[in-house]
């Protein structure tokens, strides 16, 4: 069975343990921490320098992220980008890492806009049992707790709030 490798967001998985827990529940077999060195180097080490079949770019910057994605991909891999590249004019890809353009690595981009089609696709994944969104719910708000929800969003509290607690 192939490994599902995920990239965790925090050093030593301490400040956001829920992220690691959910990644493992979704099937991640290994957790990579970008604080521990170059992500592509860590992935290549983990795959015995073979690389991965698929990469999803959901953050980072145009200057480094695409280069890393190509470097960690094996020939014939697919790279999907859903990150918004605000203010970056150049996407850098090392020609050698890309097999001088002959590695058949496919790069796709998807506009992440609020649309009926995206909502229908998401609902279909959930309805067909291919995605359990309950694992991603960290906070539940009832009624008109808008101010509390907005404070939580902007303060990025790492643990769920208790009843009546305001971050």
């Amino acid at each position: 069975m192939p490994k599902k490798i995920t990239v965790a967001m925090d050093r030593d998985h301490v400040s956001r343990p829920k992220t690691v827990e959910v990644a493992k529940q979704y099937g991640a077999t290994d957790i990579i921490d970008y604080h521990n060195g170059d992500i592509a180097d860590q992935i290549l080490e983990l795959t015995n320098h073979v690389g991965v079949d698929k990469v999803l770019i959901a953050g980072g910057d145009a200057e480094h992220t695409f280069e890393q994605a190509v470097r960690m991909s094996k020939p014939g891999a697919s790279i999907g980008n859903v990150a918004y590249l605000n203010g970056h004019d150049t996407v850098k890809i090392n020609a050698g890492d890309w097999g001088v353009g002959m590695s058949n690595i496919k790069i796709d981009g998807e506009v992440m806009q609020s649309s009926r089609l995206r909502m229908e696709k998401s609902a279909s994944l959930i309805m067909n049992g291919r995605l359990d969104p309950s694992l991603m719910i960290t906070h539940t708000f009832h009624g008109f707790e808008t101010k509390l929800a907005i404070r939580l969003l902007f303060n990025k509290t790492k643990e769920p709030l208790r009843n009546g607690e305001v971050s």
Side-chain angles (χ1 to χ4, degrees):
M1 179 169 197
K3 288 185 172 191
K4 292 181 182 178
I5 304 167
T6 204
V7 178
M9 303 273 204
D10 288 290
R11 185 180 310 275
D12 302 322
H13 324 306
V14 173
S15 62
R16 292 181 70 179
K18 182 76 172 165
T19 302
V20 173
E21 178 189 326
V22 169
K24 288 180 178 178
Q25 286 178 309
Y26 276 125
T29 56
D30 298 274
I31 305 295
I32 303 297
D33 188 330
Y34 69 89
H35 291 99
N36 293 334
D38 183 86
I39 292 171
D41 290 343
Q42 292 181 66
I43 296 286
L44 289 169
E45 182 72 26
L46 195 59
T47 63
N48 295 317
H49 298 278
V50 172
V52 295
D53 295 313
K54 296 178 182 175
V55 176
L56 174 65
I57 300 172
D61 59 39
E63 185 175 353
H64 302 98
T65 308
F66 282 85
E67 180 271 331
Q68 288 179 323
V70 168
R71 197 157 42 92
M72 72 177 76
S73 296
K74 66 183 183 183
S78 295
I79 299 172
N81 176 57
V82 295
Y84 180 70
L85 305 175
N86 186 23
H88 297 285
D89 297 323
T90 304
V91 171
K92 295 183 178 183
I93 298 173
N94 180 294
D97 292 335
W98 199 11
V100 292
M102 306 301 271
S103 63
N104 198 30
I105 294 175
K106 180 180 177 183
I107 301 175
D108 284 318
E110 177 79 24
V111 177
M112 292 299 292
Q113 56 189 345
S114 294
S115 69
R116 178 180 171 178
L117 179 60
R118 189 183 87 192
M119 294 305 289
E120 287 174 354
K121 285 181 178 181
S122 298
S124 177
L125 288 172
I126 294 166
M127 289 170 47
N128 291 308
R130 295 183 61 204
L131 175 65
D132 177 7
S134 69
L135 300 176
M136 297 181 274
I137 297 172
T138 59
H139 301 79
T140 303
F141 298 95
H142 302 281
F144 295 97
E145 296 177 305
T146 307
K147 287 183 181 180
L148 178 61
I150 290 172
R151 277 194 206 111
L152 177 66
L153 175 68
F154 285 108
N155 293 336
K156 303 214 186 309
T157 302
K158 292 172 180 66
E159 296 301 324
L161 297 176
R162 291 182 286 280
N163 254 349
E165 182 180 358
V166 178
S167 64

